Amino acid sequence: MAALAGFPGILEVAGWDEAFLEVHDEDPESVARAVQRAVREQTRLECSVGVGDNKLRAKTATEYAKPGGVYRLTVDTWYDVMAERPPDALWGIGRKTAKRLAGLGLHTVGEVAAADPARLAAELGPVRGPWYRRLARGDDR
């Protein structure tokens, strides 16, 4: 975390080995590679870096960056990358919820994104149902 603290931006520590660094830069991939270099130099460890235009997309991109790479996921690429994935590919949706969504006929991220929010609210709860749709659209923090 000390390596990340040296970068301009807002650092949010999410655990002993995970953090979010909000940086606004014309070339975010170069910042990501600089982060990797700093972590390697200071710890001798490799890290994967997800770049996104919001926290959810950055977190999701990290899965595609593993091991030790950089991957960018934005509003423009979200559906191309995520639409055919199962709902539990989303941060915040686990196997149990994916099973409940499948019971509603929703087997992909794209199907959840296109689902009627009122139906999701009725079936999965007034807060959680619409939240799953926002996750599937890549619209949530």
Side-chain angles (χ1 to χ4, degrees), residues 51-59 73 78 138-141:
V51 176
D53 49 5
N54 70 20
K55 188 191 266 184
L56 172 63
R57 288 191 276 265
K59 170 66 173 168
L73 190 55
W78 178 259
D139 289 339
D140 207 70
R141 289 188 35 82

Side-chain angles (χ1 to χ4, degrees), residues 114-133:
D116 176 19
R119 177 176 179 230
L120 292 174
E123 297 287 343
L124 302 168
V127 174
R128 291 240 177 229
W131 179 64
Y132 295 139
R133 183 172 183 262

Side-chain angles (χ1 to χ4, degrees), residues 103-122:
L104 300 174
L106 305 172
H107 303 280
T108 68
V109 170
E111 290 171 344
V112 176
D116 176 19
R119 177 176 179 230
L120 292 174

